[in-house]
Amino acid sequence: MTKEEETRSLPITKQMVWKAYQKVKSNQGSAGVDQVSLKGFQEDLEKNLYKIWNRLRSGSYFPPPVKEVEIPKRDGRKRKLGIPTVSDRIAQQVVKNYLEPRLEKVFHDNSYGYRPLKRAHQAIEAVRKNVRNYSWVLDMDIKSFFDEVDHALLMKALDRHVEEKWVRMYVKRWLEMPVEEKTGHLRRREGRGTPQGGVVSPLLANLFLHYVLDQWLSNYYPGISFVRYADDVIIHCRSEAEAKYILEAVKSRLQACNLRLHEGKTKIVYCQDYRREKKHYRKKFDFLGFSFRPRSMKSKRGGGGMFLGYDCAVSIESRKKILAEIRAMRFHRWSTATMEDLAYLLNPKLRGWVNYYGKYGRDALSRVFRVFHNRLVKWVLNRYKSLKGSIKRAYAYLKQVQKGNPIFYHWKKGFTYL
């Protein structure tokens, strides 16, 4: 540490700012209200990082407003995100890096969202395990969670673990920073909400829900299991009566913490399989892009017969989203491109779909890749005049390529469907 660093008041080093910048750089992201992109920020990198360090270190850093953008939700509505400036993302990352190891020691094992060394597949695997042991699921949706987080309660939770006044000061400033709407109007926060899109927001949200739900459930209902991924919560119960009782208890708990359930999206589900009696009850729920429901499964024992299990595969909504992406790319019109060009451009998407949705119930992706192959056949017909007009020969050509040179990522992973 330099002599200049030692004379300043707050324990924020240039190395902390540099480490935060590296993380923000790896995550990319768009420009905020100042219209400065990551590339633009890097044009005078040393000066810009020094400015962040100098202001953070002296306690004079005040975050600019966040830029409000809208992205479509599955139900057709819009989700509002708050995009901080590149500089502010770095400043938030400094504080997040400082706080996260401390709070990680507190968080519950059943909390998976936005945590180091925790992944969505781990949360899904935990639900898969739990539905084998519990017949009922309480599928909860907290309404407008990031818009409703109570600042006073969040700061109270933070005070339990953070003695440093400068950390609490900066967190308070980030909670209170205004939102710049598309019209340019600045909307002030009225003691609630944290921008969904901010770097430090997920960590603060996990801290808030740790006390609102995780610790509360563990203390008062130790006999049940639950899985939480950010504000998506699955609670496993032994009976319908228990599920209804806990649902009412959770409603009261959330109300006491100034939150509420989305009544239309919160539901009780019966996890029917071959061991459980038939009931005329809702039997399906979605979680992290997968649908859990009764499914015909092949036994791994004996002769490998079929039985009714309860497991997951890519959800209809996720499949529709993938199909929309395939159609929007319109790669069948890239008649001047080679197949190597197509593979180079499309494999990142294919890799993401296969590695995430192909983890469980991989056969449910068959429709996705049939549509993909239909588009690929159209490309072959547009690309090669000798095959033009013959869909059958175009399919035969693709099968030959697939066998000799599986150039597309899903072919290498066994997703053929030709």
Side-chain angles (χ1 to χ4, degrees):
M1 185 182 294
T2 66
K3 187 174 182 180
E4 183 183 16
E5 289 178 309
E6 291 176 337
T7 59
R8 294 187 178 271
S9 58
L10 302 182
I12 298 173
T13 66
K14 290 179 180 178
Q15 183 62 31
M16 291 166 67
V17 175
W18 175 254
K19 183 179 179 181
Y21 158 70
Q22 295 281 26
K23 181 66 174 179
V24 170
K25 179 184 176 182
S26 68
N27 290 336
Q28 295 296 309
S30 59
V33 295
D34 60 359
Q35 302 301 312
V36 176
S37 65
L38 185 60
K39 183 179 179 181
F41 182 89
Q42 292 168 334
E43 290 176 359
D44 200 351
L45 181 61
E46 185 176 351
K47 179 181 177 181
N48 288 329
L49 291 179
Y50 178 86
K51 186 186 297 184
I52 295 170
W53 168 76
N54 188 44
R55 292 180 178 176
L56 281 174
R57 179 78 168 172
S58 64
S60 63
Y61 179 81
F62 286 87
V66 294
K67 177 183 177 182
E68 186 173 80
V69 298
E70 295 181 339
I71 60 172
K73 297 175 70 174
R74 290 182 302 181
D75 57 9
R77 296 182 300 161
K78 300 287 186 180
R79 181 192 302 276
K80 294 182 178 180
L81 297 181
I83 307 300
T85 64
V86 174
S87 294
D88 193 47
R89 292 207 292 275
I90 295 170
Q92 289 191 40
Q93 189 68 52
V94 169
V95 174
K96 181 184 179 184
N97 289 346
Y98 184 84
L99 270 183
E100 193 168 56
R102 187 184 314 181
L103 297 182
E104 273 295 309
K105 297 176 182 178
V106 177
F107 291 157
H108 202 285
D109 288 341
N110 288 355
S111 166
Y112 293 88
Y114 308 112
R115 295 181 60 187
L117 306 180
K118 294 275 192 176
R119 299 291 181 268
H121 281 156
Q122 293 175 308
I124 294 163
E125 189 62 46
V127 173
R128 293 181 74 224
K129 178 181 178 182
N130 287 340
V131 296
R132 299 185 193 114
N133 300 321
Y134 295 85
S135 303
W136 295 84
V137 154
L138 176 53
D139 178 15
M140 292 187 357
D141 186 282
I142 302 175
K143 190 169 185 177
S144 304
F145 169 71
F146 282 90
D147 295 329
E148 299 294 329
V149 171
D150 186 286
H151 291 180
L153 291 177
L154 176 55
M155 293 304 296
K156 182 179 179 181
L158 192 68
D159 289 346
R160 295 191 64 172
H161 305 284
V162 180
E163 295 180 357
E164 299 92 326
K165 292 182 179 179
W166 66 270
V167 175
R168 301 201 299 266
M169 175 186 71
Y170 281 134
V171 168
K172 192 170 186 294
R173 288 179 187 177
W174 279 312
L175 290 175
E176 294 175 349
M177 63 184 174
V179 177
E180 184 180 283
E181 299 174 345
K182 288 192 296 184
T183 61
H185 172 73
L186 286 181
R187 186 176 72 247
R188 301 284 174 180
R189 298 188 183 277
E190 302 297 332
R192 61 180 60 239
T194 180
Q196 191 172 0
V199 172
V200 78
S201 293
L203 180 63
L204 298 177
N206 271 333
L207 176 63
F208 190 78
L209 285 176
H210 171 77
Y211 285 107
V212 170
L213 276 178
D214 302 353
Q215 194 62 44
W216 177 79
L217 284 170
S218 297
N219 289 342
Y220 292 95
Y221 302 98
I224 58 97
S225 290
F226 69 93
V227 175
R228 182 174 66 78
Y229 194 95
D231 57 336
D232 290 333
V233 187
I234 302 295
I235 300 178
H236 301 271
C237 305
R238 294 183 177 84
S239 67
E240 180 183 4
E242 184 178 55
K244 289 180 176 179
Y245 176 78
I246 291 179
L247 175 58
E248 292 305 313
V250 169
K251 284 182 181 179
S252 298
R253 173 62 176 174
L254 292 181
Q255 187 176 11
C257 299
N258 298 322
L259 293 174
R260 52 190 170 148
L261 288 177
H262 193 302
E263 297 290 347
K265 295 183 178 179
T266 297
K267 53 186 177 290
I268 294 174
V269 177
Y270 180 55
C271 308
Q272 185 178 329
D273 62 15
Y274 74 98
R275 303 166 301 167
R276 296 162 183 159
E277 63 176 301
K278 293 183 179 179
K279 291 181 182 289
H280 295 291
Y281 213 99
R282 182 186 287 108
K283 297 183 177 66
K284 171 182 168 293
F285 69 94
D286 289 355
F287 183 59
L288 301 181
F290 288 83
S291 286
F292 284 79
R293 62 174 178 81
R295 299 177 185 276
S296 294
M297 304 176 70
K298 190 173 183 179
S299 175
K300 296 180 180 179
R301 300 177 181 178
M306 303 301 293
F307 69 98
L308 183 67
Y310 195 91
D311 211 337
C312 67
V314 57
S315 68
I316 294 174
E317 289 78 11
S318 298
R319 198 165 58 198
K320 286 179 179 178
K321 185 178 179 181
I322 296 173
L323 292 175
E325 286 190 65
I326 291 174
R327 295 185 179 106
M329 285 188 285
R330 302 177 68 82
F331 62 84
H332 63 287
R333 294 181 176 272
W334 304 347
S335 56
T336 59
T338 65
M339 191 168 289
E340 286 76 15
D341 294 333
L342 289 186
Y344 178 79
L345 293 168
L346 298 175
N347 272 343
K349 287 280 188 184
L350 294 167
R351 183 181 297 109
W353 296 333
V354 168
N355 289 346
Y356 187 75
Y357 294 109
K359 178 77 172 179
Y360 306 106
R362 55 185 284 144
D363 286 345
L365 284 173
S366 60
R367 185 184 173 192
V368 166
F369 291 119
R370 286 192 182 102
V371 171
F372 178 84
H373 291 146
N374 288 343
R375 292 285 166 130
L376 204 54
V377 164
K378 290 181 180 180
W379 175 82
V380 169
L381 295 174
N382 289 328
R383 180 74 170 78
Y384 301 106
K385 293 181 179 179
S386 60
L387 298 175
K388 198 170 184 67
S390 177
I391 294 177
K392 184 176 180 180
R393 289 172 62 200
Y395 268 107
Y397 171 78
L398 281 181
K399 284 184 178 180
Q400 185 178 5
V401 173
Q402 183 189 82
K403 184 177 180 180
N405 181 23
I407 194 169
F408 292 104
Y409 184 82
H410 67 298
W411 287 355
K412 296 176 182 178
K413 295 298 180 178
F415 292 86
T416 52
Y417 305 115
L418 272 173

